[in-house]
Amino acid sequence: MSAPPEGLPAQMAVRIGSLQLASPLGLASGTCGWGAELEGMVDWSKVGALFTKGLSLQPRQGHPPPRIWETASGMLNAIGLENPGLEGFVADKLPFLRQLRREHGVVVLVNLFGTLAQEYAQLAAALDNLEGIDGVEINLSCPNVEAGGIEFGRSAATAFAVTQAVRRATRKFVAVKLSPAGPVLELAAAARAGGADALTMGNTMPGLAIDVRRRCSRLAAGSGGLSGPALRPINLRCVQQLFEAGSLPLIGGGGIATGDDALEFILAGAVALQVGTATFANPDAVGTIHAQLQTALGVDHLTACVGAASRPPPP
Amino acid sequence: MSAPPEGLPAQMAVRIGSLQLASPLGLASGTCGWGAELEGMVDWSKVGALFTKGLSLQPRQGHPPPRIWETASGMLNAIGLENPGLEGFVADKLPFLRQLRREHGVVVLVNLFGTLAQEYAQLAAALDNLEGIDGVEINLSCPNVEAGGIEFGRSAATAFAVTQAVRRATRKFVAVKLSPAGPVLELAAAARAGGADALTMGNTMPGLAIDVRRRCSRLAAGSGGLSGPALRPINLRCVQQLFEAGSLPLIGGGGIATGDDALEFILAGAVALQVGTATFANPDAVGTIHAQLQTALGVDHLTACVGAASRPPPP
Amino acid sequence: MVAARRKQAAKVVRIIRLGDPEAGLGQVDLCASGLAVGVEAGRFAMLEAVGRPDCILKRPFSYFGTEGPDQISFLIKEMGAGSRGLLQARPGDAIEVLGPFGNTFPHLASGAVWGVAGGVGAAPFGLLADRCARVLLGTRRQAEAGFAAALQARGVVVDLATDDGSAGFAGSVLALLEKALQKAAQPPQALFACGPTGMLAATAALARAHTLPCYASLEERMGCGFGVCRGCAHRDVSGGWRCICVDGPVYDAAQIFAAPASA
Amino acid sequence: MVAARRKQAAKVVRIIRLGDPEAGLGQVDLCASGLAVGVEAGRFAMLEAVGRPDCILKRPFSYFGTEGPDQISFLIKEMGAGSRGLLQARPGDAIEVLGPFGNTFPHLASGAVWGVAGGVGAAPFGLLADRCARVLLGTRRQAEAGFAAALQARGVVVDLATDDGSAGFAGSVLALLEKALQKAAQPPQALFACGPTGMLAATAALARAHTLPCYASLEERMGCGFGVCRGCAHRDVSGGWRCICVDGPVYDAAQIFAAPASA
Ligand SMILES: Cc1cc2nc3c(=O)[nH]c(=O)nc-3n(C[C@H](O)[C@H](O)[C@H](O)COP(=O)(O)OP(=O)(O)OC[C@H]3O[C@@H](n4cnc5c(N)ncnc54)[C@H](O)[C@@H]3O)c2cc1C
Ligand SMILES: Cc1cc2nc3c(=O)[nH]c(=O)nc-3n(C[C@H](O)[C@H](O)[C@H](O)COP(=O)(O)OP(=O)(O)OC[C@H]3O[C@@H](n4cnc5c(N)ncnc54)[C@H](O)[C@@H]3O)c2cc1C
Ligand SMILES: Cc1cc2nc3c(=O)[nH]c(=O)nc-3n(C[C@H](O)[C@H](O)[C@H](O)COP(=O)(O)O)c2cc1C
Ligand SMILES: Cc1cc2nc3c(=O)[nH]c(=O)nc-3n(C[C@H](O)[C@H](O)[C@H](O)COP(=O)(O)O)c2cc1C
Ligand code: FES
Ligand code: FES
């Protein structure tokens, strides 16, 4: 996990399971569309991996507006997992992703969700036959219809079931994405048992904001997911907890906006990273962060820094 | 729970269980010391309740420095529950609290913690005989020695055991303080079953910050608790969730710094509030928030607003 | 032609407060090399006052004017932290500009159109002086009518309506529009509308009644401005969502606002 | 006498950049009615540049000087967002001041004391010109020695030491102190020290060797400044924690730094 992959420029290259990334920085699911939206505004050579918007078997319309609201150093979103469905994805979105992969070496991971474990598996099976996709990322923050709408990610048993079903359906790389709402250690164990290659830590934290004049929630859907710098200490702590527990390779994220933020996640134990909300204000946030991270690393190899944070020395 | 108490100036007065508060605003545990530290800098008439620093049977020294670190719109703390122990509390701290209660009508609640359920109960029993204390607040965010150091607040069974032990040891008001790290619904049910009078929602969220130059955590203890505005959407969402599940009366808090923040918590379902981190930058934050809240309420009674937030109307 | 979308660090040239200071209106002029390239009526930019870390997202504002290839102007109303940060900037301060984004109002013959604007919906009409014979602008009261003078300074003929009658026509801009359409010797060939959703829907209904084409510029909360956050969804007549930052913000109103079900 | 602790909205009178701009040093002068009341050497205030929402906590700074009852001065080094916000303020801007907090350096006879300062530890000596015959100030290089001139302007006799020898004595302030003590015709009756913990410990050891009383002003990260957050704990010789914002920041060094275990 921590030897720099062969044949790649050494300092920033990372290997995670079977994947080789030229840059540790990925674009987080739901914050980079299907890639094409960013064309011309991002330096693709700095994008190690692209995690697509969440994909379901059938197209989904998503929630009515307002869908987003800014909070203190963060934002809430309740987009409602709007997406074109498997068929629409293959017809309209995949061609550009193939081109990205071919021309820029961007690793493409499709973020999956469903309302039944079987739906995740069907999606993974369908994608398994397609060229131009390196793997999938399982989004567990979705209501499980068979469990009365409780999210897959709230129980180790369902997390295991989904991971195993996907693992059996695909030979490609499988990452499982956890929310800091946890219980992260149990879920991590379930994902490993289910055969995942890596964990993404992680998703947004449930949050709420209320318009006190109109006395209603700021989002049409009620609550939403908190992302951005406000989330960073929370996800960072989960990454370190997972790393110390000896988990699968970790893809870290949550509020990364600078090279120092990225390095914090690496020092806590992440091998690769996801940049989400920062892309909204700066479409080439990944390029900016890449340059800053390189400066912050100095002469060190990134892989030598993974999990290197200790307690502070006594004064 | 929502009728304004008799004989108190109506708009801002609240009743929660057996307690009558002249103001819904409380000073949160660990952010107001033992009251005396704020003397001369706060308008006590605006303080409905004071929640003391966490108290244990024996004195505790707490963690080495650094104990605090500021993050994006928030801060991490790992104070380590430094306190003078029961005897020291009674000798040195209680006299001032009695005076506060007598002269300003401030309701005094002692925040309790222990490493065994029995310790919580012993503390509660000892306090039960003391004049000048209106009740206790159980801090569940403490390592349970009998469960290998897992926090009481991570399991409904231990939360129930602690609550019940305290309930049996005291006739005074008992609030149980939950962390947004949850699982909040299960813990709320356990606290109710154990005989609590109210829930405080809530405590800090575990978080981490790393000094990338020195490659160590910012806090000597490693991780810490995240408080301040960054936490607000998270705790606010938990309050609404508990309110909608029909829980015990709720004391809401997390990042309250303005009257609008306070009103958000009330509209989400809180009857009373706690102001913590905001007091650090403005010792009379409660006074400021009180004035703003009164303006924001307009002609409404506060109690009429509890839980009044809905979904936004369609455009 | 779709202009290259880009991020530029612009400098504040000047900030002109408009009308009653309490109303919080201002014109913000920015410059940077090539900043005006690709700017057209209806398009918008995402703006952020650099060094004000109280916002993590940029905010959308319609282009109001250009001055040569390097200078652009916006009309901004203070609503919260984002707009306040822009209006409080001082000459020389840096403002980050992402854009231009979005589509444009159609290129109809000069003078063929009437504009209908509510509040901050005034902004895009600064670039439509030639296409619009007149712009009907509605605000609550005179104190909030500061954008009228800014439009007039760009050669726009403005008919003001105030809800409280403190200036111009007393009543809503819709009532003014209805009256004007009734008595017009030269009725317009189309309406361009920009303002709150309720006003746009009413304008669309009136246009339908008069069988006039109507183009409306929609508003939703935007997280990015370039199609990746999916925050800016707006319902269309088919019941689907339009992502108005890339698909709009300007639409044939008939695609968005359904004809009223006949009673 | 403990002065009433209070929160005041002060105005920036001026900000004077000191020395090499890159070193990020400045003197910040503030005024408000009665702002200087209760200010004494060793005490500190918690400061916040109003309208810069990038910090939620105030930051501690030692009082450096007063000018009549209404004006106070600080010496500030840019470390991060909090200090930057203060140094970037402009005349007329509002700065919130909480204080005065903490205890004071003891009132020893005029000229009886030598000061030992490291970096931002220079600040409290601005109020100690009469008590201190001289202040030995250590910095890394000349470019960072901007505080020396500010001290001299307040009548303080400064002996500068730079780690790289680019100005004054070449070496640490400790080495300079040791040399000065050895060759002093008039040795001091006590040392006052302020700076990084390591420097304070070494100064305490040297004072012990010379059987001189030593008073040290400690530094820890502070959340509040008035005793409620318990963030500012510092270990004392008994192994307990001192809450230095209320108990300190000035201590008899013997209470804090243990004598080295004899080898
Ligand atoms: C395509 C487009 C073009 C725009 N052009 C202009 C323009 O030229 N000039 C201009 O001044 N504004 C324009 N706006 C609106 C502007 O983007 C918002 O006013 C701004 O984003 C508010 O941000 P803020 O941080 O100042 O306020 P926030 O803190 O985000 O909001 C403050 C308060 O105002 C309310 N509010 C915010 N935005 C809106 C809104 N759009 N409608 C109703 N209530 C709202 C919020 O509910 C909140 O209570 C445009 C919006 C869009 C989508
Ligand atoms: C009683 C007292 C008096 C003080 N007086 C002065 C004074 O007169 N003038 C002055 O310039 N400063 C003084 N300080 C230090 C000052 O408070 C800090 O430099 C300031 O709080 C840093 O805040 P920031 O937001 O600028 O930096 P932050 O963002 O908080 O920190 C930036 C970086 O600097 C490091 N850092 C911050 N504070 C310290 C520290 N105290 N020691 C070592 N590294 C640190 C951090 O680790 C971080 O990496 C005093 C501190 C105390 C406790
Ligand atoms: C608008 C928005 C939409 C998102 N959609 C998805 C999604 O479809 N699937 C998913 O797994 N995560 C989704 N996320 C979560 C992000 O991928 C990321 O994990 C999270 O935002 C934390 O990172 P950040 O703080 O850098 O944004 C979304 C986040 C945002 C802000
Ligand atoms: C420095 C500090 C110390 C705290 N100590 C305690 C404590 O002893 N017991 C407890 O229940 N909560 C403690 N808390 C949590 C606060 O009471 C409060 O619940 C939390 O900080 C969220 O509110 P805030 O964002 O307004 O600070 C502490 C918080 C801080 C910042
Ligand atoms: S504003 Fe982000 S997709 Fe339209
Ligand atoms: S700084 Fe808060 S207790 Fe000392």
Side-chain angles (χ1 to χ4, degrees), chain C residues 56-153:
Chain C
I56 64 159
L57 301 172
K58 291 185 162 61
R59 301 287 191 269
F61 296 94
S62 301
Y63 292 102
F64 165 66
T66 62
E67 195 70 46
D70 300 337
Q71 189 170 318
I72 58 178
S73 302
F74 297 92
L75 293 186
I76 294 180
K77 178 177 165 66
E78 181 174 328
M79 298 292 292
S83 47
R84 191 179 315 125
L86 295 165
L87 288 170
Q88 286 178 349
R90 309 183 210 193
D93 282 357
I95 293 201
E96 224 172 59
V97 182
L98 267 184
F101 294 132
N103 63 2
T104 65
F105 281 101
H107 283 272
L108 304 184
S110 177
V113 179
W114 286 7
V116 187
V120 300
F125 293 102
L127 287 165
L128 289 166
D130 60 341
R131 268 174 269 176
C132 291
R134 59 201 290 197
V135 172
L136 289 62
L137 170 63
T139 67
R140 263 175 300 191
R141 47 207 179 84
Q142 202 215 332
E144 292 178 10
F147 289 161
L151 283 175
Q152 282 157 348

Side-chain angles (χ1 to χ4, degrees), chain B residues 37 39 61 65 67 70 281, chain D residues 55-56 58-59 230 241:
Chain B
E37 294 86 344
E39 181 62 2
Q61 286 231 332
R67 291 175 164 193
E70 190 167 330
Chain D
C55 293
I56 65 160
K58 291 185 162 60
R59 301 287 191 270
R230 313 302 291 182
W241 298 118

Side-chain angles (χ1 to χ4, degrees), chain C residues 156-180:
Chain C
V156 177
V157 177
V158 179
D159 291 331
L160 188 63
T162 54
D163 292 343
D164 69 354
S166 51
F169 175 81
S172 76
V173 72
L174 263 298
L176 174 60
L177 174 61
E178 188 147 25
K179 235 180 86 177

Side-chain angles (χ1 to χ4, degrees), chain B residues 28-30 53-54 77 81 111 139 177 202-204 227-228 254-255 276-277, chain D residues 229:
Chain B
S29 175
K53 175 87 196 128
N77 86 80
L81 296 164
N111 183 272
N139 179 0
K177 187 169 181 180
N203 220 317
T204 55
S227 65
T277 302
Chain D
C229 79

Side-chain angles (χ1 to χ4, degrees), chain A residues 114-210:
Chain A
T115 51
L116 300 167
Q118 209 34 52
E119 283 179 28
Y120 283 92
Q122 267 179 271
L123 270 168
L127 298 174
D128 192 48
N129 299 317
L130 296 174
E131 180 260 315
I133 296 170
D134 295 286
V136 297
E137 181 183 49
I138 299 176
N139 179 0
L140 291 175
S141 306
C142 299
N144 178 354
V145 167
E146 287 174 323
I150 298 192
E151 287 185 3
F152 289 99
R154 301 317 284 261
S155 127
T158 51
F160 171 77
V162 171
T163 310
Q164 192 181 51
V166 169
R167 175 74 290 162
R168 289 183 176 161
T170 185
R171 294 150 298 176
K172 296 189 197 269
F173 183 86
V174 175
V176 173
K177 187 169 182 182
L178 306 180
S179 152
V184 297
L185 290 174
E186 287 91 320
L187 293 170
R192 180 197 276 267
D197 296 305
L199 297 174
T200 302
M201 184 72 247
N203 220 318
T204 55
M205 180 78 193
L208 174 70
I210 290 174

